[in-house]
Each structure stands twice: as C-alpha cells, then as structure tokens.
Amino acid sequence: EDQVTQSPEALRLQEGESSSLNCSYTVSGLRGLFWYRQDPGKGPEFLFTLYSAGEEKEKERLKATLTKKESFLHITAPKPEDSATYLCAVQARQAGTALIFGKGTTLSVSS
Amino acid sequence: DAGVTQSPTHLIKTRGQQVTLRCSPKSGHDTVSWYQQALGQGPQFIFQYYEEEERQRGNFPDRFSGHQFPNYSSELNVNALLLGDSALYLCASSSWMVEDEQYFGPGTRLTVT
C-alpha cells in the first residue's frame, strides 16, 4: 500500500533556529514527491516537486531534498511567517496523478 | 491571473441531506481533482475530472459524485450526508501539459449536524 509518514507531528522553533522536517514514503514506483504549505483554514500552497533521488530544490529559506525512501524539508533561519503546516505528498506511477498525502508537520516559529 | 476558486466558503447541513460544492480552475487549467481533508489529517483524493469525464477515483463511496462542465469548472455532490462527511473539501486544478503541478483552492468547510 502506498503510504506517506511525516515527522515530527509538531515542531516549535525560535526565530533563526534552523531545522528539518522528514517525509518517509512507501510507493510502488515514485512518479513525484511534492511539498505544500498550508495555513489554518486555507488550501495547500505548492512549494516543490522532486522526481529522482539526489534532487534538491530551494526557495527562500526552504530547501527540499529527496532520497529513495524519504525527503527532507530544511528550514534555514526561520521567521515567524514560516509558521504553517507543511504537507508532503507522493504520486505513484500506477495511480495516475492522484496525490497521496501525509498528515503534515505543524511548524511554529516564535520571535 | 485568477487562481482556483471555490464556493461556498462554509456550509452547514443536516445528516441525510445532499450538498453541492463548486470549483473554478486556475486560468489555463483543464483538469480538476477533489480532495477531502478531515481535521488534523492530510487531504484524501476523491476523484479527478478531465474532458468532462471522471478519469480517476479514490476510495470513496458512490454517495460522492461529480461533474465537469465544458468551461472546465466542476461540481462535487454528496448525497445522504453523514456526520463523518464534515471536513474541508479542496479542489485542485492542473493542466494536462503539466499534470504534476496541482494548485489548490481555499476549500469549502462542510459541517454536518
């Protein structure tokens, strides 16, 4: 069964304190791995797509990396406005373009 | 450039009733997917529409049905509502040319009492 597990469930950081979020996946043929940001009561906002092991993508203070079994979202020197839930999702080759999501990591950054 | 829009924003229904949710895709997009997000959970795929046909379906009962119109907008219908159907319903749009990038709307919060 295709599955996505994210850890930790919640993470509290001080402003400027860098950390990483983990997304481990089990999928029968990875088509792509996706990171989204979701603010409370809003729809997910697309951040990155990764396709193959070793691939990395960056956007401002965020950097996503991919291995054959997991992905990391590194947050460098976070600011309070980075507080949100970060969702990881995969597409499996045999499952078309449907996204299979993890439960998310809720990040709180305090000043 | 208008993003994905959904209506209504919030909805309260009684158990056993029927509900229709609406979605307009991002300009240039022709594919619409619907997801259900329960509180504290990640979104779960319901189904996807392309060229006015259901192309793919997740593990949801037949009470959940949909439609896509010639202008690519879409509706999600849920019959015989259950308390467990209370959730945030998200619409995501994409283009057949760039299928992997799905852009989400703000969602419709459905409460079943």
Side-chain angles (χ1 to χ4, degrees):
Chain A
E1 181 185 351
D2 300 327
Q3 195 169 333
V4 176
T5 303
Q6 292 187 245
S7 62
E9 289 185 11
L11 181 63
R12 290 184 176 275
L13 299 175
Q14 290 291 319
E15 185 172 4
E17 180 186 2
S18 302
S19 188
S20 296
L21 313 182
N22 177 264
C23 170
S24 61
Y25 61 90
T26 304
V27 65
S28 49
L30 180 70
R31 177 173 171 157
L33 184 139
F34 303 79
W35 283 99
Y36 285 86
R37 168 192 170 128
Q38 186 173 30
D39 292 304
K42 303 286 180 65
E45 175 191 346
F46 173 77
L47 293 173
F48 305 108
T49 308
L50 302 167
Y51 293 103
S52 55
E55 189 174 359
E56 298 182 352
K57 287 194 177 171
E58 287 188 67
K59 179 179 179 180
E60 295 180 358
R61 294 178 292 282
L62 300 177
K63 178 180 175 180
T65 62
L66 180 65
T67 72
K68 287 187 178 179
K69 293 186 177 180
E70 57 190 350
S71 175
F72 292 93
L73 184 65
H74 306 278
I75 304 177
T76 302
K79 298 182 178 181
E81 54 261 42
D82 294 323
S83 298
T85 296
Y86 290 86
L87 294 166
C88 173
V90 297
Q91 282 180 340
R93 291 194 190 283
Q94 293 90 323
T97 58
L99 293 169
I100 303 164
F101 281 88
K103 293 183 178 181
T105 293
T106 299
L107 173 66
S108 298
V109 182
S110 54
S111 56
Chain B
D1 178 22
V4 180
T5 59
Q6 293 186 243
S7 63
T9 305
H10 296 90
L11 205 51
I12 299 175
K13 288 287 188 178
T14 303
R15 195 171 40 183
Q17 286 187 317
Q18 178 263 342
V19 69
T20 297
L21 311 181
R22 295 176 176 81
C23 170
S24 291
K26 181 179 167 67
S27 178
H29 286 183
D30 52 14
T31 303
V32 172
S33 302
W34 286 92
Y35 292 80
Q36 180 195 66
Q37 186 175 24
L39 206 59
Q41 304 293 314
Q44 278 197 290
F45 175 75
I46 304 174
F47 44 54
Q48 183 181 83
Y49 277 84
Y50 173 69
E51 291 191 331
E52 301 179 51
E53 294 203 356
E54 183 181 291
R55 185 165 72 170
Q56 191 178 355
R57 189 178 183 92
N59 189 24
F60 278 78
D62 292 344
R63 298 187 297 109
F64 289 78
S65 63
H67 188 78
Q68 186 179 35
F69 299 94
N71 67 352
Y72 308 121
S73 67
S74 176
E75 286 182 349
L76 164 65
N77 302 293
V78 187
N79 294 322
L81 284 167
L82 304 174
L83 296 179
D85 294 332
S86 295
L88 181 67
Y89 287 85
L90 296 163
C91 169
S93 74
S94 57
S95 166
W96 73 269
M97 290 187 290
V98 191
E99 281 188 319
D100 293 344
E101 291 184 9
Q102 297 186 25
Y103 292 85
F104 285 82
T108 293
R109 171 69 64 187
L110 172 66
T111 302
V112 182
T113 61

